[in-house]
Amino acid sequence: MTSVKAFTFHAIKPLHQQEHKESRAVLPTNSLQGNYVCPDNASCDRIQDRRDILQRGLSFGSLVAATLTAQVPIQSSAAARNVKSRTAGYNIQHTEAEWSDLLSPQQYFILRQGGTESPYSSILEGEERAGLYLCAACRTPLFDAKDKFHSGTGWPSFASTVMSSIDPNVSNVETEDVSPVQYQLAGAEVRCHTCGGHLGDVFADGFLFVGTPAFVTGKRYCIDGGALLFVPKDQKSIDQLQVLRGDLPPKSRHRNAVFPG
C-alpha cells in the first residue's frame, strides 16, 4: 500500500460541464436491469456484469487466469449485490439529482449506478505516466501509477491503493465486506471511501500476473476508467493542473483528451 498526502483540489473546476451540460437528467432506475440507453454524447453502455464480459472477451492468457481462480460469471454484478447505501455514512454526500448535474453521464452511470464500461473504452487503460488516479466524483486520491499494470482485461488495473493522509491504516478505497470464499471466487466491489462512488472490483488473482506489482500484493483492482481522473506527476502549478478524464475514449479516437483544471 502507498500513503500519499492529499492534494488540495478545490481549485479544480468540474471538467465535464461544458462538454455535457446539455444532458443532466437523472438516469432511470430501470437501468439496473440493462434497459438504459445512453445520451448520444456519452460512451457508456448498459450495466453489465464484469465477470460476464471477462468470460466472453478476455485474451487466452487472461481467460486461463480467470479459470484458475474460478471467477465464474454470475447474474448480478458485485455492485448490484452490495446493498450498502452509496450515500449514508460517507463524508461527501449529494442527492442523485445533484450527482447527475456534477458528473458526466458516463461518470454517473459508473459511480452512482454501479455500471460497468466496455473493456478498452477508457483512455486510462493505456496510460503509463507517473502520477495519481483520483475519484472523478470527489477527487480523492485512490491509486498511484506505480501500482498500475496491464492485466489484459481491458480495464485499468492496480495492485494496491492509496492510503488516507489522515490515518495511514485506512485505505482511500473501500472494499465490500464479503466472505473469504466469495472473495476468492468472485471478488468484491470497491468504492471511493470518501463519497461511496462505485469504482469496480478487486480480485484475489494477483499471483497470476508474474512480473507485475500484483504478483507481490496478490490483488488485482479492476477499475472502470470512467470513475477516475488522472493527474500526471511533477506539475508546476495547482492553478494550471492538467487532469485527464477517464470517461474519454483512447487517444486513437480522441486526440485532445487533456484539459486544464
Side-chain angles (χ1 to χ4, degrees), residues 83-133:
V83 297
K84 181 181 177 182
S85 170
R86 297 190 195 283
T87 301
Y90 293 101
N91 291 335
I92 293 181
Q93 299 182 13
H94 294 288
T95 65
E96 290 308 305
E98 289 170 340
W99 278 125
S100 179
D101 187 62
L102 289 168
L103 302 172
S104 73
Q106 175 77 331
Q107 290 168 340
Y108 183 87
F109 168 72
I110 295 168
L111 287 157
R112 303 310 304 171
Q113 292 195 312
T116 298
E117 69 192 16
S118 297
Y120 298 104
S121 64
S122 170
I123 191 173
L124 296 184
E125 194 281 330
E127 179 60 59
E128 296 181 344
R129 291 174 293 174
L132 283 176
Y133 291 83

Side-chain angles (χ1 to χ4, degrees), residues 109-227:
F109 168 72
I110 295 168
L111 287 157
R112 303 310 304 171
Q113 292 195 312
T116 298
E117 69 192 16
S118 297
Y120 298 104
S121 64
S122 170
I123 191 173
L124 296 184
E125 194 281 330
E127 179 60 59
E128 296 181 344
R129 291 174 293 174
L132 283 176
Y133 291 83
L134 321 178
C135 173
C138 67
R139 307 194 180 219
T140 295
L142 302 174
F143 301 98
D144 192 311
K146 70 180 183 61
D147 298 313
K148 187 174 185 288
F149 67 101
H150 294 289
S151 63
T153 62
W155 290 282
S157 299
F158 302 87
S160 60
T161 67
V162 167
M163 306 303 287
S164 169
S165 60
I166 299 175
D167 185 348
N169 295 315
V170 176
S171 172
N172 284 344
V173 176
E174 175 185 286
T175 300
E176 178 188 11
D177 186 13
V178 299
S179 70
V181 173
Q182 179 175 324
Y183 175 61
Q184 291 294 328
L185 295 181
E189 182 193 10
V190 288
R191 298 181 179 184
C192 173
H193 193 272
T194 303
C195 69
H198 171 73
L199 303 174
D201 307 275
V202 59
F203 299 98
D205 62 359
F207 68 93
L208 293 169
F209 299 89
V210 180
T212 75
F215 183 76
V216 178
T217 65
K219 298 179 180 180
R220 171 172 60 92
Y221 289 85
C222 191
I223 306 300
D224 290 287

